Amino acid sequence: MLPVVALIGRPNVGKSTLFNALTGTRDALVADFPGLTRDRQYGFARRAQIPCIVVDTGGLVEHAESIEGLMVEQTERAIAEADRLILLVDGRAGLTPQDQFAAQLARRSGKPTWLAVNKTEGFDPDTAVAEFHLLGLGEPHPVAAAHDQGVVALLEAVLEGLEPDPEEAPETTGIKVAVIGRPNVGKSTLINRLLGENRMVTYDQPGTTRDTVMVPFERDGERFTLIDTAGLRRRARVEEAVEKFSVIKTMQAIETAHVVVAVMDAHDSVVEQDASLLGTVIEQGRALVIAINKWDNIPPEQRDLIRGQIEQRLSFADFAPLHFISARHGSGVGELLATVRRVYAAAMRDMATPELTRVLEAAVESHQPPLVSGRRIKLRYAHQGGRNPPVIVIHGNQTDHVPDAYRRYLVNVYRKAFDLTGTPVRVSFRGEENPFAGRRNPLTPRQRRKRKRLIQRNKR
């Protein structure tokens, strides 16, 4: 499982800015006033050799009341979830009593803690961190999160001593399938139906599953590992302490899996939480199958309308196969497992360079790239750069100017040509290096003009 790193500290020290720098996103809101972050924010950080999950938190305030008290409670939950902590302080403001309160909370947790001094750009590093030795948390790390200075070194120091979790081969673990979704959509019932036994506890009440459960089984000579996860409800409704790890566990299950089956209730509309969860799966490059459960209870005259609404709201994941099933009665479940095999094969497919280049040439001939400053973008050849998800690397000239619309066009062409159903496809571009870049002509302008006249005279 991925390690979890929580960012803590008093308000307005730059925790959200550091979160964005570590995750390479803009998921956390950033503004120059304290108290902007209130809930916990989760993201994946891959900037060090070992990937991890980063948790952004609200500011810690001593003697907090009302809304600030709730923010402190959220931060305490993040500390309990985390494997390691980063205590962030403001190098320009200096050491404050609130910093000492945050440090005391970190020490009380017993979690390994690293001290990061933010906003140190333009200062001598030793001078900027000098007074923060008083916190007794070891050597402070100077960073400038807004300018991405010292961020990677800090993350590597925090993760030092951990070993990368080697991905288990499919031959030993089988196809790892994570079943995710909101509470009470039928995830455990679906797993029981696939297993043919009541392996998971099911009950007509949201939140029955408390933890991630991995269940190996074999079907038609092929091995699988099913990963059941706790349902993700809106944070405002998370009241019980046992539910506080559900987001972490689900994100770790997505990272571990080869294929993700997202289960939704046919009686409920697709909400923002469903879309966000599917977006996380796509961002992580996992093969995806969408299962609309409890379809047997939908009247036949309403099915076409509901089917159209679901497909419209999930248009951003239109590459994922859509199954309408009944986990309780088993209808459609057999086809679901066959689709899992197919999307896994697509995610792990090997594609030969000559075939990739041939498809590229046909795509360019059918639809030319746009002009850039009067010059045509030239795409020359392609090769495979990775699997799960498939990565296709295309070489050419002016590739920095390829528009997103043309990238999507190429993704669709390759998806159709190689039957890459159910898996995200990533197309990256690389420009060809100019062998004469950085080399100056030794001739003076006058000598070049004279040489040009001589060449033209000889041609006559």
Side-chain angles (χ1 to χ4, degrees):
M1 293 295 183
L2 294 180
V4 180
V5 178
L7 309 179
I8 65 172
R10 65 179 178 84
N12 209 34
V13 294
K15 295 185 296 298
S16 295
T17 304
L18 180 59
F19 175 89
N20 289 342
L22 290 171
T23 60
T25 67
R26 295 183 180 179
D27 291 344
L29 294 177
V30 176
D32 191 19
F33 62 86
L36 184 64
T37 302
R38 292 178 177 173
D39 292 318
R40 286 166 290 165
Q41 175 86 327
Y42 300 85
F44 291 93
R46 299 180 180 277
R47 302 195 62 185
Q49 290 186 344
I50 302 173
C52 66
I53 294 174
V54 180
V55 188
D56 185 22
T57 65
L60 285 171
V61 179
E62 194 173 9
H63 309 302
E65 298 178 357
S66 63
I67 188 67
E68 292 179 339
L70 297 176
M71 291 165 55
V72 172
E73 182 181 346
Q74 288 288 322
T75 302
E76 290 174 342
R77 289 186 176 184
I79 292 174
E81 292 173 346
D83 299 306
R84 302 190 171 191
L85 306 177
I86 296 178
L87 173 59
L88 197 64
V89 295
D90 188 337
R92 294 179 182 267
L95 183 63
T96 69
Q98 290 180 334
D99 293 327
Q100 294 174 339
F101 169 70
Q104 182 181 4
L105 197 64
R107 282 194 295 268
R108 191 186 306 159
S109 71
K111 302 291 179 71
T113 304
W114 280 258
L115 178 63
V117 183
N118 194 24
K119 306 178 186 179
T120 59
E121 65 275 14
F123 288 86
D124 176 70
D126 294 334
T127 304
V129 305
E131 62 179 316
F132 294 100
H133 285 87
L134 295 174
L135 293 176
L137 293 175
E139 185 66 28
H141 294 262
V143 299
H147 303 279
D148 199 28
Q149 297 176 7
V151 172
V152 175
L154 170 65
L155 186 60
E156 290 176 345
V158 171
L159 299 175
E160 186 178 0
L162 298 176
E163 294 293 333
D165 188 14
E167 185 177 356
E168 297 175 285
E171 290 76 14
T172 58
T173 65
I175 303 173
K176 290 180 283 188
V177 184
V179 182
I180 66 173
R182 285 187 285 159
N184 210 34
V185 296
K187 300 183 296 296
S188 297
T189 305
L190 174 60
I191 289 181
N192 285 342
R193 175 61 60 179
L194 290 171
L195 296 174
E197 61 174 309
N198 292 329
R199 171 63 174 80
M200 313 303 298
V201 176
T202 61
Y203 189 66
D204 189 18
Q205 175 182 330
T208 304
T209 300
R210 299 297 197 187
D211 200 356
T212 299
V213 181
M214 304 184 71
V215 184
F217 83 108
E218 187 171 331
R219 175 72 61 85
D220 298 330
E222 187 162 13
R223 294 181 177 179
F224 297 84
T225 298
L226 297 177
I227 309 173
D228 190 16
T229 61
L232 294 182
R233 66 177 72 199
R234 286 182 12 222
R235 289 179 190 167
R237 297 184 179 179
V238 176
E239 298 175 355
E240 299 183 43
V242 293
E243 293 187 50
K244 65 185 179 182
F245 296 102
S246 60
V247 176
I248 292 290
K249 294 294 186 181
T250 299
M251 295 180 74
Q252 289 175 330
I254 292 171
E255 176 69 20
T256 301
H258 296 119
V259 180
V260 173
V261 176
V263 183
M264 301 179 187
D265 192 331
H267 297 84
D268 296 337
S269 59
V270 179
V271 298
E272 182 182 355
Q273 189 176 3
D274 295 320
S276 176
L277 197 56
L278 293 182
T280 300
V281 175
I282 295 171
E283 180 185 345
Q284 294 306 305
R286 294 297 172 256
L288 176 64
V289 180
I290 301 173
I292 309 299
N293 193 24
K294 307 179 185 179
W295 190 245
D296 54 317
N297 292 328
I298 301 296
E301 61 272 12
Q302 296 182 13
R303 291 189 175 186
D304 288 341
L305 176 62
I306 295 176
R307 191 192 302 266
Q309 291 175 346
I310 291 174
E311 292 177 352
Q312 181 180 10
R313 292 171 181 173
L314 299 180
S315 58
F316 66 95
D318 56 0
F319 64 88
L322 195 61
H323 282 264
F324 297 87
I325 67 170
S326 171
R328 175 175 293 180
H329 298 101
S331 58
V333 174
E335 292 82 357
L336 180 67
L337 199 59
T339 300
V340 167
R341 291 192 185 99
R342 187 157 60 96
V343 300
Y344 172 75
M348 304 298 288
R349 182 157 294 146
D350 287 322
M351 296 172 284
T353 297
E355 285 298 310
L356 288 171
T357 303
R358 181 187 61 77
V359 172
L360 175 65
E361 292 172 349
V364 170
E365 183 177 353
S366 175
H367 180 42
Q368 287 280 339
L371 295 172
V372 178
S373 301
R375 297 176 57 197
R376 179 75 64 184
I377 296 174
K378 294 182 180 180
L379 305 179
R380 303 189 184 280
Y381 69 95
H383 65 87
Q384 187 169 0
R387 299 186 301 171
N388 194 30
V391 179
I392 299 169
V393 182
I394 297 177
H395 295 255
N397 291 339
Q398 302 190 93
T399 53
D400 293 340
H401 302 289
V402 176
D404 290 337
Y406 198 80
R407 184 193 300 267
R408 290 194 296 271
Y409 162 70
L410 292 177
V411 166
N412 292 331
V413 167
Y414 278 115
R415 187 184 302 282
K416 182 178 180 180
F418 291 92
D419 190 24
L420 301 177
T421 303
T423 178
V425 179
R426 294 177 179 170
V427 172
S428 63
F429 299 95
R430 292 183 185 174
E432 296 182 350
E433 294 184 1
N434 183 355
F436 299 101
R439 295 176 57 183
R440 299 182 60 184
N441 193 327
L443 300 178
T444 64
R446 181 177 179 181
Q447 290 172 328
R448 288 198 296 270
R449 289 194 298 269
K450 183 177 180 181
R451 181 180 178 182
K452 184 176 180 180
R453 288 195 299 269
L454 289 174
I455 294 175
Q456 292 175 347
R457 188 183 305 168
N458 292 333
K459 287 182 178 179
R460 297 173 187 167

